[in-house]
Amino acid sequence: MFENTTFSITTFGCQMNKHDSERIAGLLESLGSIAVSSPAEADFSIFMTCCVREKADERLMGQVATMKNDAPRKGSPFGRRFVAIGGCIGQRDGEKLLTQLDNVDVVFGTHNMETLPQLLESAIEKGSRRAEIIDGRAEFHDELPEDREHPWAAWLPITVGCNNFCTFCIVPYVRGREISRPLDEIADQARAYVQQGVKEITLLGQNVNSYGRDLYGSPRFDAVLDAVAASGIERIRFATSHPKDLTDGVIERFATLPNLMPALHLPAQSGSNRILAAMNRRYTIEHYEGLIEKLRVVRPYIALSTDIIVGFPGETEDDFEQTCELVKRVGYNQVFTFIYSRRDGTPAARLPDDTPRSVIQERFDRLVSIVREGALARNRLSLDRTMPVLIEGISKRNASMMAGKSPYNQTVHLPLPAGTSLQQWEGTIVTAHIEEARTWYLRGSMQS
Ligand code: SAH
Ligand code: SF4
Ligand code: F3S
């Protein structure tokens, strides 16, 4: 039924969703369907959705609604297109989406991705419109084949779900309770990736630091790092790290494991202890900065990034100032800044919130300019240094430049050597001398 059909996957949200999309792609390809990049050329247009903030919700609705009048692709075996919605909005809204969007055929959730082909089949054969969502524990989808976006980079989920219930966050409701994948499976998977020529593994979990609590009684993320490092992989990264669970053992690995990249994403969310308590983050700013001190002892140039929410209910000017001070003190390479977005069903959605939108926007803009200054200052530290860069593609800004990543997760632009093609370089690690530092990227030249 799927032979010679085409599918597209549009992915919103976090790396976990991107990984899930690679599994869906692998599944449909194993049935004979062919991946295309644009939903307009697809018989099956699949949307892997995110509901962490309101904007992501709106973007999905807009995109799906505008497809309504699109003609089916030329050569379509069905004479029409099928639209499927998966991911976190699928899980959250289920059936409701079939009423809200009348061109949607299939809705599936985060716990039952493997049912997508059956749901599509019954849409094709019987014209049925169905939502199938199961509530349940999170699970790994490692039984599904995967089609990775880049052959040299792999996501490796080590936990799925989340038990933390930060008061602003919808994720625990749409992804279920946290479970960990056994250590030996992770090690086997890492070795398999190395054999396939993968250069970089990114370990995934909403809170990788609590890895193993369900399996072994206490967190064992440091053991995961050791096992993955022993596979011989060139580069290891991980996301996301919750400050309350970051152990000395993990910090130490930044000194002892040369393939663990010197970059850490450690979401602070706020610089005010009062707001952190209201967010149920369960650490203080003193604890957070203590971690950073330890990290800089073991890896002085470690690149730090963070997430900050501006405008959490009840945030005062003083709370916000404390956030700005934190960002200045730490010196982040990158800060992902978000305006608080009320999510129905979360505890924070019930808190009174009387800060005017314009005040929140003004705070947000102020923070962004502090972030930009800080990022440029950090990038300048790389000037005149030589570093290995993993080439990932062509620069979005300039087609004669390749773009890659430094160990510190900085984007580095390098001229594409004359007479060579990108394919020769993609997925290889080259040595670059850094000659120019901008806010969001570096420019260098390749050293032979
Ligand atoms: N598990 C990760 C975060 C996943 S969500 C962690 O704990 O770090 C990614 C980021 O989105 C969060 O760190 C937070 O900064 C932001 N976020 C989550 N819910 C939000 C909301 N309701 N409004 C605004 N930002 C939010
Ligand atoms: Fe959301 Fe907090 Fe879990 Fe991260 S740790 S996914 S912010 S509840
Ligand atoms: Fe979004 Fe779901 Fe990830 S809500 S951030 S796609 S876990």
Side-chain angles (χ1 to χ4, degrees):
M1 171 146 322
F2 292 95
E3 289 294 331
N4 299 321
T5 62
T6 59
F7 71 91
S8 69
I9 306 183
T10 310
T11 309
F12 302 85
C14 65
Q15 291 155 328
M16 199 60 88
N17 245 13
K18 289 186 190 157
H19 173 75
D20 285 352
S21 292
E22 294 184 342
R23 293 283 184 190
I24 300 265
L27 177 61
L28 293 174
E29 280 170 0
S30 73
L31 299 171
S33 194
I34 300 156
V36 292
S37 54
S38 134
E41 292 158 26
D43 299 318
F44 310 113
S45 304
I46 297 154
F47 293 86
M48 290 295 278
T49 58
C50 170
C51 52
V52 78
R53 289 170 294 274
E54 198 173 358
K55 262 206 190 114
D57 268 45
E58 287 166 356
R59 267 172 60 204
L60 169 80
M61 297 298 174
Q63 277 209 22
V64 175
T66 54
M67 287 188 61
K68 199 168 171 162
N69 303 320
D70 282 1
R73 74 163 175 111
K74 264 204 204 103
S76 153
F78 311 115
R80 56 162 295 200
R81 183 190 326 281
F82 295 88
V83 175
I85 297 186
C88 294
I89 300 184
Q91 182 70 31
R92 186 193 61 183
D93 293 350
E95 199 90 23
K96 228 167 67 186
L97 288 166
L98 296 176
T99 354
Q100 282 169 343
L101 293 161
D102 58 11
N103 56 335
V104 170
D105 300 283
V106 166
V107 180
F108 61 108
T110 52
H111 305 305
N112 61 330
M113 299 194 319
E114 66 288 347
T115 56
L116 175 64
Q118 283 107 289
L119 292 169
L120 287 174
E121 256 174 52
S122 86
I124 297 164
E125 284 175 346
K126 305 184 205 130
S128 67
R129 300 180 67 226
R130 273 172 62 197
E132 196 168 306
I133 309 296
I134 52 175
D135 277 338
R137 247 161 65 107
E139 60 187 284
F140 293 95
H141 296 284
D142 46 335
E143 76 290 357
L144 303 180
E146 67 183 4
D147 170 24
R148 292 196 306 276
E149 187 184 353
H150 300 299
W152 66 86
W155 315 110
L156 204 174
I158 62 164
T159 68
V160 285
C162 181
N163 293 347
N164 286 321
F165 293 93
C166 302
T167 57
F168 50 80
C169 184
I170 192 93
V171 170
Y173 306 91
V174 287
R175 289 279 172 172
R177 292 301 70 72
E178 179 182 270
I179 56 166
S180 309
R181 190 167 176 187
L183 196 49
D184 52 343
E185 276 183 28
I186 297 172
D188 287 348
Q189 183 69 67
R191 277 192 294 269
Y193 282 143
V194 171
Q195 276 181 351
Q196 294 164 24
V198 170
K199 296 283 172 55
E200 179 174 278
I201 292 178
T202 304
L203 304 170
L204 289 186
Q206 296 300 342
N207 175 9
V208 289
N209 293 316
S210 65
Y211 170 85
R213 214 170 249 153
D214 53 333
L215 296 180
Y216 311 112
S218 60
R220 295 203 47 197
F221 182 51
D222 47 3
V224 174
L225 290 173
D226 290 340
V228 175
S231 70
I233 189 80
E234 298 250 11
R235 292 182 164 198
I236 306 171
R237 300 186 188 277
F238 59 86
T240 304
S241 218
H242 195 303
K244 80 176 163 60
D245 295 316
L246 180 60
T247 61
D248 288 348
V250 172
I251 293 176
E252 212 180 279
R253 295 314 188 271
F254 280 101
T256 56
L257 301 176
N259 40 6
L260 178 59
M261 290 296 102
L264 177 66
H265 184 62
L266 196 62
Q269 312 296 359
S270 168
S272 152
N273 284 333
R274 200 179 70 81
I275 295 293
L276 287 174
M279 289 175 163
N280 189 32
R281 290 289 288 178
R282 290 180 278 166
Y283 53 83
T284 60
I285 273 309
E286 292 72 22
H287 175 75
Y288 181 91
E289 292 197 76
L291 295 173
I292 289 188
E293 242 169 68
K294 287 187 200 171
L295 284 158
R296 286 198 165 136
V297 169
V298 299
R299 210 68 188 247
Y301 289 103
I302 192 164
L304 297 165
S305 56
T306 199
D307 291 345
I308 298 282
I309 296 179
V310 178
F312 185 82
E315 179 190 76
T316 62
E317 180 59 28
D318 181 53
D319 294 318
F320 175 71
E321 277 297 329
Q322 292 181 45
T323 297
C324 294
E325 290 310 313
L326 173 78
V327 171
K328 287 186 204 160
R329 276 198 308 274
V330 172
Y332 290 105
N333 279 63
Q334 201 170 37
V335 180
F336 299 91
T337 47
F338 306 108
I339 288 185
Y340 170 73
S341 171
R342 217 186 75 126
R343 304 283 73 197
D344 282 339
T346 61
R350 297 190 298 269
L351 295 175
D353 182 10
D354 48 15
T355 315
R357 186 78 195 179
S358 57
V359 171
I360 293 175
Q361 185 64 49
E362 183 277 326
R363 285 180 192 161
F364 181 84
D365 295 343
R366 231 187 310 156
L367 180 60
V368 168
S369 61
I370 294 170
V371 167
R372 293 183 65 93
E373 269 174 45
L376 181 59
R378 294 296 303 178
N379 273 348
R380 285 202 172 122
L381 297 178
S382 299
L383 276 175
D384 214 24
R385 294 182 63 198
T386 298
M387 48 178 85
V389 172
L390 173 60
I391 302 295
E392 297 185 332
I394 279 293
S395 149
K396 285 188 208 111
R397 297 161 200 265
N398 179 344
S400 66
M401 300 291 271
M402 302 188 292
K405 284 276 159 49
S406 78
Y408 303 96
N409 218 6
Q410 297 150 301
T411 298
V412 181
H413 291 175
L414 298 167
L416 179 65
T420 68
S421 72
L422 176 67
Q423 284 73 28
Q424 276 169 258
W425 299 102
E426 254 180 333
T428 66
I429 294 176
V430 304
T431 303
H433 179 249
I434 304 304
E435 284 152 9
E436 194 183 328
R438 299 287 187 93
T439 309
W440 300 127
Y441 66 99
L442 303 171
R443 188 188 288 247
S445 61
M446 211 140 85
Q447 309 251 296
S448 48

